[in-house]
Amino acid sequence: MFTWEVVDPAPGQPVGARQRLPWGKTVGLGVQHVVAMFGATFVFPVVMGLDPNLAILFSGLCTILFLVVCRNRVPSYLGTSAAFVGGVAAIRALGGDSADVTGAILLSGVVLLLVGVFVHFAGPRLLHAVLPPSVTGAVVMLIGFNLAPVVASVYWTVDQWSALLTATFLVFAAVLFPGFWGRIAVFLALVFGFVLSFLSDLMFGPITSCGGDGCTPEPHPRVTFDGLGDAAWFGLPSGTLDDGVAAVHAPSFSLVFFLLVVPGVIALIGENLGHVKAVAEMTGDDLDPYMGRALGADGAATALASLFGGSPTTTYAENIGVMGATRVYSTAAYYVAAVAAIGLGLCPKFGVLVAAIPGGVLGGITLVLYGMIALVGAKIWVENGVDFGGPRNLVGLAGGLVAGIGGVALDFGNGFEIGGIALGTVLVLVYFHAVGLRSRRRAATDEEVTSEP
């Protein structure tokens, strides 16, 4: 499995998953994959209140796990997933800490692992029936839009002008920058915002603000590098998160918190299915036999990372974009990228730099990224031709969307409550399939009446 055919075709000619370029070129491509996954992979842990060094480290480890489980047939990189961000925000709003967050995500990873095992042995047909594009698109959309209040109340208020300028730069970079530079727009926007905040400190001095509801505005610098000089160049991730939980920690488990994040599994299923299909289309390989392996590997990777306090994972479209641009699909390049990510994760100085990201910069980046998550749901609808002229799609999805986006809650008493993304997902699934079943029965009855003499 770890033997690749060495090829060196002319530029623009494809290189298959089980082929590789000479190691020098393969290393260069691996570095490109690191840069492509880098921005979102460490921004989302920061947003979720988890350790970014640990996320980078486990992104490398989990990518290797994914490649091995898929027998080096599915070239993909596993970076930090945004699917659970909304659920994590809900957990923290209810008083949960980072251990509660990683415990809920770990259980969700186990659910995805079981789905993968089922799909591997039963085939993907039933999965497509339960989660058609109309349902998957709705769940992804409500996950993204549910995050809008987080931007407004937590990040934007820290430094609104830095947030606005960073968001503006990200939009223009993603759309107007050529080729590869456009694909790393999140990372470039992060650098832009960081430099902008540093220069603002020099020119205008400290800013008086705070992030989060109920806090007291106080003067503070936008950028601080406290601890950078004392941090080692090499070492295991350590330290304490903002909520007092150790960066590397054991998860704790709660049914209520699990229900808040498990809808993210639907988004992960949609992402993995879409990415495997995209890779199959680019390479010309039949990857349907590996669909279950891909889902199960992502679930196992998410559970493994969460077991030690890391972030959830998913296959990354950014790296699929790199393959589309280079036409090099070699899994060998992904092993290089994974090893490089592990090296970054073992550098505490890098962790201090990440911790210094100003809140206003995160506000600008999340303003765009959360909206993009939501619009991926609309993209799923458009690409699959979902018809909203019929009442099943229009009415069957409407209630769940509003419940999920608006944070509607259902109180069962005794402290048990589901709401937001969890309730929205349940309503989308129940309403859509219930009216679909009723519609099919009515159609069958009408057909019988019509056929009577």
Side-chain angles (χ1 to χ4, degrees):
M1 190 170 65
F2 295 100
T3 301
W4 293 270
E5 177 190 358
V6 181
V7 297
D8 195 6
Q13 296 298 311
V15 176
R18 298 303 306 273
Q19 298 176 323
R20 68 167 176 85
L21 296 169
W23 279 118
K25 295 181 179 180
T26 298
V27 169
L29 286 166
V31 172
Q32 284 192 70
H33 283 300
V34 171
V35 175
M37 68 83 185
F38 188 73
T41 294
F42 79 78
V43 166
F44 285 124
V46 174
V47 171
M48 289 186 285
L50 301 175
D51 186 76
N53 258 45
L54 200 61
I56 293 289
L57 171 63
F58 271 102
S59 77
L61 294 173
C62 291
T63 294
I64 293 174
L65 172 63
F66 181 91
L67 294 172
V68 171
V69 171
C70 294
R71 302 180 60 82
N72 286 338
R73 301 286 184 178
V74 186
S76 291
Y77 192 92
L78 263 61
T80 303
S81 170
F84 297 103
V85 173
V88 170
I91 290 174
R92 295 196 181 278
L94 292 176
D97 61 15
S98 295
D100 296 315
V101 166
T102 50
I105 293 175
L106 187 153
L107 294 177
S108 298
V110 173
V111 170
L112 182 59
L113 170 61
L114 295 176
V115 170
V117 172
F118 174 82
V119 171
H120 179 69
F121 289 104
R125 180 176 299 178
L126 180 60
L127 183 66
H128 289 305
V130 176
L131 297 174
S134 49
V135 170
T136 305
V139 173
V140 173
M141 179 173 287
L142 67 86
I143 287 174
F145 283 145
N146 182 266
L147 296 168
V150 177
V151 180
S153 62
V154 177
Y155 297 115
W156 192 268
T157 55
V158 176
D159 186 352
Q160 60 178 358
W161 295 111
S162 292
L164 178 62
L165 292 172
T166 301
T168 303
F169 179 91
L170 175 55
V171 170
F172 279 88
V175 176
L176 300 180
F177 281 16
F180 180 70
W181 296 105
R183 295 190 184 95
I184 60 170
V186 172
F187 175 70
L188 296 178
L190 182 70
V191 174
F192 169 84
F194 213 112
V195 173
L196 175 67
S197 298
F198 181 76
L199 294 177
S200 296
D201 278 340
L202 295 178
M203 293 185 292
F204 308 116
I207 186 173
T208 301
S209 66
C210 70
D213 297 331
C215 64
T216 302
E218 296 179 352
H220 62 89
R222 297 167 181 82
V223 180
T224 176
F225 296 106
D226 294 342
L228 182 61
D230 297 330
W233 282 102
F234 181 82
L236 291 171
S238 60
T240 304
L241 302 173
D242 291 341
D243 59 2
V245 177
V248 180
H249 60 266
S252 61
F253 303 101
S254 162
L255 176 60
V256 173
F257 293 154
F258 167 65
L259 292 175
L260 290 174
V261 301
V262 73
V265 172
I266 296 176
L268 291 184
I269 291 173
E271 287 177 352
N272 276 278
L273 294 180
H275 291 173
V276 172
K277 289 179 180 178
V279 172
E281 184 176 343
M282 288 191 298
T283 62
D285 297 331
D286 178 16
L287 296 181
D288 281 353
Y290 297 93
M291 195 77 76
R293 287 178 178 266
L295 290 168
D298 192 10
T302 293
L304 174 65
S306 301
L307 183 62
F308 296 92
S311 302
T313 63
T314 187
T315 52
Y316 256 31
E318 292 91 333
N319 298 89
I320 293 175
V322 172
M323 289 192 295
T326 62
R327 301 197 70 191
V328 178
Y329 314 113
S330 173
T331 52
Y334 282 99
Y335 281 100
V336 172
V339 171
I342 293 171
L344 284 174
L346 294 174
C347 179
K349 281 190 182 293
F350 168 74
V352 174
L353 285 174
V354 173
I357 299 172
V361 176
L362 289 175
I365 290 175
T366 54
L367 180 75
V368 179
L369 286 183
Y370 291 171
M372 289 173 63
I373 294 171
L375 292 178
V376 165
K379 182 172 178 284
I380 292 173
W381 287 341
V382 172
E383 290 181 345
N384 291 276
V386 176
D387 179 17
F388 286 97
R392 184 185 185 188
N393 288 329
L394 185 63
V395 182
L397 303 177
L401 279 171
V402 171
I405 295 170
V408 175
L410 196 60
D411 188 354
F412 292 89
N414 298 320
F416 181 72
E417 175 184 283
I418 62 171
I421 295 173
L423 179 60
T425 301
V426 170
L427 293 181
V428 163
L429 285 167
V430 171
Y431 287 165
F432 181 84
H433 288 293
V435 297
L437 181 62
R438 178 62 179 170
S439 297
R440 286 192 293 271
R441 287 179 176 175
R442 177 179 294 177
T445 302
D446 291 344
E447 184 177 347
E448 290 177 2
V449 172
T450 303
S451 61
E452 290 179 359

